[in-house]
Amino acid sequence: MAKNYRDDFDYSEAIANTQDAAERQELLAERQNKIDAEGLAGKVASNDAVATWNGDYRPYSVSSRGGSSSARSEADRLYDAAEQARLKRFQAARERIQQQLDRNLSSIETDYAAGMKQTDINARQSVISNEEKLAALGLNMGARGAAATSGAAETSRIAVDNQYRSDLNALGQARLQARAAAQDAASEQTAALENEYYTAAESAALQQAQAQLAQFNADRDYGLSLAGLTGFLNGTPTLAYREYQAGLSSMASEAQAKAYEQALDRWKTSGYVQAGDAAILGVPAGTPTADASYRNASLALQRWKAGYWY
């Protein structure tokens, strides 16, 4: 079956940096395939956690890549190193449990084989002992005694056989019980070890998330404080800054209108445009009030005051 994921590809980074919903789902599916195929479950962040990652916002992650600050990158490296060390201890302890189980099972098999051998020896010794006893009795009996001896021999053989089978059955039961007990003990130790490991991993992930949240809040508070001083938040003008700029613009507009109105009054009073007012009014110096430009200027001022200036 062909692999449906990519080797040497940082899915977590790609998922965090994509804004396309369809692409994100495709990357998550490939990442889950890789986790399942390579047995990474419990060793890396789950897809449920990674699905919430966005840019530098990556709770429950363990990454050596840099974040928005060197302090955050260093914290991530510390968590990563701690997680790797914890994983190695977990794997080593689990391997020791398996090795102990193998030794216990081997010892059980050795004891079972020795018990089988001793059972065979005991059975042969019983047969020989009974044959010697019956032979001794047969030497002192006639024909009827010989028949009685034959019946006793059969009874003795059956008794020895039954005892032999009983001993074998007891050995087999003892072997199975010992194996089951050894495997149960190993399973209990492994379960306790896994519970301890995953509890520690969850606690570390929670601590990391809390540290990242604290850092996020600190960065946010710093950004807001800086925004109050500069008027910009992440490069965007704040509302206070825009209101300040609008106030300045309004003041400038009002000053310009006032200057225009005063220049127009002087034009009307003197009957011509003075040299200092030419630039304000936009007409040549010396232009008389009888000129059409005076009427146009008066109309412009009226529009300006009415808010129709353009």
Side-chain angles (χ1 to χ4, degrees), residues 264 267 289-302:
L264 189 62
W267 188 4
T289 54
D291 193 87
S293 58
Y294 178 78
R295 295 191 298 273
N296 293 337
S298 298
L299 180 60
L301 180 60
Q302 293 174 9

Side-chain angles (χ1 to χ4, degrees), residues 194-248:
E194 290 178 349
N195 181 67
E196 179 182 356
Y197 170 74
Y198 289 121
T199 299
E202 290 171 359
S203 177
L206 179 59
Q207 290 177 4
Q208 184 181 14
Q210 291 172 335
Q212 289 180 340
L213 179 59
Q215 185 63 52
F216 172 81
N217 289 333
D219 291 344
R220 180 198 59 190
D221 293 342
Y222 174 76
L224 292 175
S225 176
L226 193 62
L229 296 174
T230 64
F232 287 86
L233 180 62
N234 297 328
T236 302
T238 63
L239 177 60
Y241 181 82
R242 290 197 297 270
E243 290 176 345
Y244 171 73
Q245 290 294 97
L248 290 180

Side-chain angles (χ1 to χ4, degrees), residues 39-116:
L40 299 176
K43 301 178 183 178
V44 297
S46 69
N47 262 9
D48 290 338
V50 176
T52 66
W53 293 5
N54 187 10
D56 290 333
Y57 176 73
R58 304 181 188 183
Y60 307 107
S61 66
V62 179
S63 171
S64 60
R65 294 177 178 263
S68 60
S69 67
S70 59
R72 183 177 302 173
S73 299
E74 182 61 26
D76 286 343
R77 282 192 289 272
L78 291 175
Y79 279 110
D80 190 18
E83 172 61 23
Q84 293 301 320
R86 184 167 50 251
L87 178 60
K88 288 181 180 179
R89 291 195 300 271
F90 166 71
Q91 292 173 334
R94 187 166 58 182
E95 181 64 23
R96 288 194 297 271
I97 292 173
Q98 183 60 47
Q99 290 173 352
Q100 184 60 52
L101 174 61
D102 292 340
R103 287 193 295 269
N104 290 342
L105 293 178
S106 177
S107 177
I108 291 170
E109 295 303 317
T110 300
D111 292 344
Y112 176 71
M116 289 282 291

